[in-house]
Amino acid sequence: MSAILKIDNLVKRFGGLTATDHVSLEVMPHEIHALIGPNGAGKSTLINQLCGELRSNAGTIHLAGRDVTNLSVPDRVALGLGRTFQITSLLDEVTVRENIGMAVQVREGGNFRIWDAARRRHAVWVETDALLVPSQLADRAEIRVADLSHGEKKQLELLVAMAMRPQLLLLDEPMAGLGHLESQQMIGLLRRVREDAAILLVEHDMEAVFALADRVSVLVYGRIIAQGRVEEIRNDPAVREAYLGAEDELC
Ligand code: ADP
Ligand code: MG
């Protein structure tokens, strides 16, 4: 089985600061690969390098076997890269269903044009409703986004990203700001999402990381100091030393 994402020796410098320092990792199909590390470790920088918002100083990025290192954001999206954005990417005044439906239409672009308008609409709504099923939003489809809770908006962002049918999803702290129940619901949704896409998950919530991840990479000062299965990372002496043994500070 070959990797969906393969990063080799990726580097990003901001002036004299090396934010990511020869980072290498792979994400396999359907894998949830968690990236953890203290604040300022370079996690968000790496995500931005991967999605193409930041150009790298060195290293390569392969997506499903293709070198995307020098491609634009839209070209990477077209090749199967998905990510969630901040809440502002949702349209507040339209409904949950319409937000997802628009993303489905954007993805299809011209493809639906061979059909008449009625069939086109039907295809969009069938797919939209299917996307809603594994979430807590199926019964909230006609609610305006502005009236959703924070947790519901986080779920909707994920569904909008999935409407683009990515092969790999980049998630930067999807649990941020969620209460316990909302986190549990997000964990359930991510378990469903992984059936359709591999996930690179940056997350502070260690309960979520240990519940979801197949493998974990630990980033400290821009460098990967440990990489392995969840059980290995939990017991890794270098990881424990980096965090002075305080597991609840692993983030
Ligand atoms: P994390 O997401 O792990 O908390 P970041 O990737 O946000 O870490 O930041 C890594 C380091 O790079 C930090 O020291 C941060 O201050 C620095 N940094 C991030 N983005 C920029 C930028 N655009 N310009 C300069 N320094 C940056
Ligand atoms: Mg960050």
Side-chain angles (χ1 to χ4, degrees):
M1 210 162 43
S2 54
I4 288 288
L5 176 70
K6 191 171 187 305
I7 309 170
D8 284 300
N9 287 305
L10 213 57
V11 176
K12 180 65 198 180
R13 295 189 194 93
F14 296 113
L17 175 83
T18 307
T20 55
D21 192 355
H22 296 86
V23 171
S24 299
L25 64 82
E26 287 187 355
V27 184
M28 304 305 285
H30 302 288
E31 183 182 22
I32 299 185
H33 193 125
L35 181 66
I36 64 172
N39 274 331
K43 304 181 297 295
S44 294
T45 300
L46 187 69
I47 294 284
N48 289 330
Q49 287 173 273
L50 296 179
C51 72
E53 277 169 21
L54 276 179
R55 285 302 157 112
S56 302
N57 296 102
T60 56
I61 305 165
H62 283 82
L63 186 65
R66 286 199 48 178
D67 186 346
V68 300
T69 314
N70 296 310
L71 295 189
S72 66
V73 175
D75 286 348
R76 293 181 199 204
V77 170
L79 287 172
L81 193 72
R83 72 170 301 183
T84 52
F85 293 87
Q86 298 299 315
I87 275 170
T88 46
S89 73
L90 298 172
L91 299 167
D92 258 4
E93 296 307 318
V94 307
T95 68
V96 167
R97 208 159 172 255
E98 287 163 338
N99 258 276
I100 301 171
M102 280 185 286
V104 171
Q105 276 174 299
V106 166
R107 187 203 73 223
E108 282 304 321
N111 291 352
F112 279 2
R113 262 180 232 146
I114 52 165
W115 291 346
D116 59 62
R119 281 185 67 186
R120 205 154 56 213
R121 266 198 304 278
H122 181 71
V124 168
W125 296 128
V126 167
E127 185 172 334
T128 298
D129 291 340
L131 282 160
L132 280 162
V133 168
S135 74
Q136 264 67 43
L137 293 169
D139 298 333
R140 308 271 285 157
E142 304 306 332
I143 306 276
R144 277 186 337 143
V145 170
D147 297 327
L148 294 179
S149 70
H150 178 65
E152 288 172 330
K153 284 182 185 173
K154 286 280 179 188
Q155 289 209 358
L156 181 55
E157 284 179 61
L158 194 61
L159 298 184
V160 168
M162 287 309 290
M164 304 304 283
R165 291 194 185 157
Q167 296 194 70
L168 173 75
L169 258 187
L170 305 174
L171 301 179
D172 198 352
E173 302 195 19
M175 312 289 166
L178 300 188
H180 184 71
L181 176 64
E182 289 174 328
S183 292
Q184 292 303 118
Q185 291 171 337
M186 181 61 88
I187 288 170
L189 181 55
L190 289 174
R191 285 203 173 110
R192 296 288 295 270
V193 161
R194 75 171 319 161
E195 293 169 17
D196 298 315
I199 298 174
L200 182 64
L201 173 71
V202 171
E203 187 48 60
H204 276 268
D205 179 340
M206 292 313 293
E207 194 187 333
V209 167
F210 291 140
L212 283 167
D214 301 295
R215 286 192 297 160
V216 180
S217 291
V218 185
L219 198 63
V220 177
Y221 294 122
R223 292 197 185 153
I224 303 264
I225 63 155
Q227 208 162 51
R229 304 197 69 80
V230 166
E231 319 79 68
E232 294 163 352
I233 291 301
R234 271 184 142 153
N235 300 315
D236 186 300
V239 175
R240 292 197 157 264
E241 192 182 333
Y243 293 96
L244 303 167
E247 188 159 282
D248 57 358
E249 281 183 22
L250 269 179
C251 56

